[in-house]
Amino acid sequence: MTEGDGPLHELDARVRAAAAVVRGAAGEPSMQLRVERSRHEGQGDYSTNAAMLLAPVLGSAPRVIAERIGAELSTALGGDLDRVEVAGPGFLNLFLSDAWHRHALASVLGAGDRFGTGGVRPAERILIEFVSANPTGPLVAASGRHAAYGDALARILEHHGHTVWREYYFNDSGNQIRLLGESVRARARGEEVPEGGYQGEYVAELAAEIPDAAQGDADELSARAVELMLNQIKATLERYGVRYDAFFSERALHSGSPSAVERALAALEQAGHVYRSEGAVWLRTTSFGDDKDRVVVRSNGEPTYLAADVAYLLEKRERGYDRQLTPVGSDHHAYARELKAAMAALGGDPDTVEVPILQFVHLVHEGEVFAMSKRRGDFVTLDDLLDAIGVDATRFFMLRSSHDRTLDLDLELARKQSAENPVYYVQYAHARIASMLRRLGEERVAAALAPGADWGGDGLEAAERGLIKKLAAFPEDVAEAAQRRAPHRITQYALELAREFTAFYEVCRVVGATPEPVESLRIALSVASQRTLAMSLRLLGVSAPESM
């Protein structure tokens, strides 16, 4: 156990130890043993299903086993446990003392920036490749969801204890890139873009920025246009607070002798997973769960995008990464099967390849949804969105719901500076605490946080206990967000913590509370809340303002 695990991890360990004593030499119970916060005050602070899991193992009634576990816990927890009650078919409800709540608060404060860290077992080296929009145009607003998701997930995985590498894979070869160069040349000549080419004002701007674009070679124009667009994409991502460790060029996979693509195809052929038909080379992905085989080399001898993806999979594995995460859009369901099948064909573990599917983003303005097309040139860029509602609102709203659900981003709500706007509500809670602590002064706050500070005895208010339990839940929420690849859990947690603090603040006076130990406890509780709110916002890539 590490200092970042938190008080609930310790409580969970105590419950499991008590269950193990009652189990004795009998078989192992189900791994579904849980210790969860009770939903109703009369059901205690936490409850566990341990007795019901042990019942079939021990051949006894769950309620009888619950009584035995409760007795073990009473000895193990001592003064931290007020009482236990057996409920329903065999749930064991734990009523924890005020002393436990004070110890939990001290644990949260003592962990500092380590709170919620190090919970992963075992830690992995993870490469997350995200956004990776083709550099054929500016990042559109919908890319903001991919960027926020990938960046927040990387932050959460690191906080949980993994080592994470962030990578952007950009397509700088192939037909789409050639069409971009031809579109730029056509605009420079005042002509219509070729069929399937790119429209929009940004193409004309590229043509104006590239010298002699009207007479330029299409391949050279493509390379220059990609360079300009990639620089713009990098600037937008930097503005959005998204950091990458590397930008990886697809062209690099086709260079060298043998190239990475050639090496990957040779490995597949040596393993017997490719065949030739109709002049093309096919990868037998159906042997690994795909719904159909896939072409890796066209009949004209050109490698497909899948061939480059297979080479990229192999290249990343050779760099020593234990896991590869590649979030993609909802129109890429088949892509997930292809990548897993390709990894299996390469002799790797397909489960180390994860492809979270992100659903669409709808921008809503005055009740109407924007319809956008990048190729037609009628789209809202991510920069446009940041200009309209700011970085913090954009990131928070993009992470507000699960990535596998379509997101409606209400621009009017995101602009509001009121409690209706969730990001404003969370940030305001942080700023309110900062303002209150400034009024108290550094010396008074330091005294309240000092080791051995007097936080009083019995008599905690329900709002104080509730806020402590919400703080204690942070490490478990981080773990769930990391394990489920679900940054929205931290967004929800931040909002719930802000609500819990607001409820506490409305009924529990802090500045000037009497007697002094009560004020000290509430100062400490406010500091812990501020730190945990700031930590939650930091994991989301959202600022935690000191004043608003």
Side-chain angles (χ1 to χ4, degrees):
M1 189 154 47
T2 70
E3 62 178 346
D5 287 330
L8 282 193
H9 188 276
E10 182 178 352
L11 180 63
D12 182 271
R14 293 286 183 87
V15 171
R16 290 178 184 274
V21 170
V22 172
R23 185 183 73 239
E28 290 288 333
S30 164
M31 294 302 292
Q32 299 303 312
L33 190 154
R34 298 187 303 274
V35 178
E36 298 178 321
R37 182 175 174 179
S38 301
R39 296 184 179 181
H40 304 288
E41 190 174 342
Q43 296 175 348
D45 296 296
Y46 298 95
S47 66
T48 178
N49 63 345
M52 289 183 288
L53 297 178
L54 284 178
V57 177
L58 297 176
S60 298
R63 291 181 63 90
V64 172
I65 297 173
E67 293 283 1
R68 292 171 60 190
I69 294 174
E72 288 292 335
L73 280 174
S74 295
T75 301
L77 290 173
D80 283 342
L81 183 66
D82 185 48
R83 69 184 191 279
V84 295
E85 289 182 359
V86 179
F91 285 103
L92 184 64
N93 294 336
L94 311 179
F95 293 78
L96 299 173
S97 67
D98 287 349
W100 181 88
H101 286 81
R102 287 183 170 84
H103 294 158
L105 175 58
S107 174
V108 171
L109 288 167
D113 290 340
R114 298 284 303 162
F115 186 43
T117 64
V120 63
R121 300 182 187 33
E124 294 182 324
R125 294 186 71 234
I126 298 175
L127 188 151
I128 178 166
E129 179 238 319
F130 61 106
V131 182
S132 297
N134 287 339
T136 53
L139 287 182
V140 297
S143 296
R145 186 174 206 186
H146 289 255
Y149 175 86
D151 184 64
L153 181 56
R155 292 167 186 248
I156 291 164
L157 290 170
E158 284 180 329
H159 197 77
H160 194 42
H162 294 290
T163 300
V164 181
W165 181 268
R166 301 155 170 84
E167 199 151 285
Y168 189 116
Y169 174 90
F170 63 95
N171 174 358
D172 53 352
S173 66
N175 187 54
Q176 292 184 63
I177 302 303
R178 180 183 57 79
L179 280 172
L180 175 63
E182 292 178 357
S183 300
V184 169
R185 184 169 59 187
R187 283 295 183 220
R189 293 174 176 175
E191 301 171 354
E192 288 295 315
V193 301
E195 184 178 354
Y198 293 90
Q199 305 184 41
E201 185 60 30
Y202 77 93
V203 181
E205 292 171 358
L206 286 173
E209 193 168 346
I210 300 174
D212 300 321
Q215 290 78 39
D217 173 75
D219 289 338
E220 292 178 0
L221 286 174
S222 296
R224 181 60 179 141
V226 164
E227 180 184 3
L228 291 172
M229 288 311 313
L230 191 59
N231 286 339
Q232 183 177 329
I233 287 170
K234 289 179 178 179
T236 300
L237 290 168
E238 184 175 346
R239 177 188 180 191
Y240 198 38
V242 177
R243 175 181 67 82
Y244 285 92
D245 296 297
F247 284 76
F248 191 97
S249 161
E250 181 192 354
R251 190 181 294 272
L253 296 171
H254 298 278
S255 63
S257 182
S259 69
V261 171
E262 290 168 341
R263 287 196 304 109
L265 292 176
L268 293 173
E269 183 153 16
Q270 185 175 4
H273 298 312
V274 298
Y275 63 92
R276 286 158 180 79
S277 177
E278 301 173 354
V281 179
W282 298 70
L283 175 59
R284 195 176 281 107
T285 53
T286 50
S287 298
F288 304 99
D290 200 0
D291 59 342
K292 61 181 180 181
D293 293 339
R294 308 285 175 172
V295 176
V296 287
V297 180
R298 300 181 181 91
S299 57
N300 63 3
E302 290 186 6
T304 63
Y305 287 122
L306 178 58
D309 289 337
V310 175
Y312 188 38
L313 277 179
L314 181 59
E315 194 275 344
K316 287 185 285 187
R317 194 179 72 176
E318 289 176 343
R319 280 191 266 159
Y321 290 101
D322 304 309
R323 190 169 301 276
Q324 301 181 27
L325 293 179
T326 308
V328 298
S330 57
D331 53 346
H332 285 68
H333 280 280
Y335 186 64
R337 294 194 302 271
E338 292 176 31
L339 288 186
K340 285 180 172 291
M343 177 60 87
L346 289 168
D349 181 357
D351 289 338
T352 63
V353 176
E354 297 183 28
V355 188
I357 303 294
L358 275 62
Q359 291 297 325
F360 292 109
V361 175
H362 295 153
L363 297 184
V364 180
H365 176 59
E366 296 180 349
E368 297 293 326
V369 176
F370 287 87
M372 297 178 285
S373 168
K374 189 174 185 179
R375 204 167 279 258
R376 290 198 312 267
D378 53 346
F379 55 83
V380 177
T381 69
L382 179 53
D383 278 314
D384 292 334
L385 185 59
L386 299 180
D387 289 341
I389 64 175
V391 171
D392 287 343
T394 302
R395 289 190 65 128
F396 197 96
F397 273 77
M398 289 294 187
L399 296 169
R400 191 179 177 190
S401 60
S402 177
H403 62 276
D404 58 5
R405 297 177 58 185
T406 299
L407 174 67
D408 290 337
L409 199 166
D410 188 329
L411 297 177
E412 277 67 44
L413 177 60
R415 286 193 193 99
K416 284 186 177 180
Q417 295 191 357
S418 70
E420 296 176 69
N421 181 346
V423 65
Y424 182 89
Y425 184 83
V426 174
Q427 289 179 316
Y428 182 75
H430 181 273
R432 168 186 271 177
I433 299 171
S435 174
M436 179 182 66
L437 296 178
R438 285 194 295 271
R439 293 202 311 273
L440 284 161
E442 292 182 7
E443 187 175 332
R444 178 66 186 99
V445 173
L449 301 180
D454 186 358
W455 289 350
D458 294 333
L460 287 182
E461 300 285 345
E464 293 170 322
R465 295 168 67 98
L467 182 52
I468 291 170
K469 286 195 283 283
K470 175 52 67 175
L471 289 167
F474 179 69
E476 280 64 36
D477 277 73
V478 170
E480 182 178 346
Q483 292 160 7
R484 297 189 180 185
R485 318 306 192 212
H488 74 280
R489 284 299 303 125
I490 302 301
T491 314
Q492 293 172 0
Y493 175 85
L495 189 55
E496 291 165 4
L497 177 58
R499 287 171 177 158
E500 200 85 50
F501 176 81
T502 300
F504 153 79
Y505 192 74
E506 288 175 351
V507 298
C508 295
R509 182 177 183 179
V510 180
V511 180
T514 55
E516 186 174 288
V518 172
E519 184 187 55
S520 293
L521 171 75
R522 292 176 180 176
I523 292 171
L525 193 44
S526 299
V527 170
S529 299
Q530 184 196 29
R531 289 179 182 176
T532 309
L533 281 170
M535 203 175 302
S536 301
L537 290 171
R538 185 165 62 249
L539 292 179
L540 300 172
V542 177
S543 69
E546 296 286 320
S547 61
M548 290 178 70

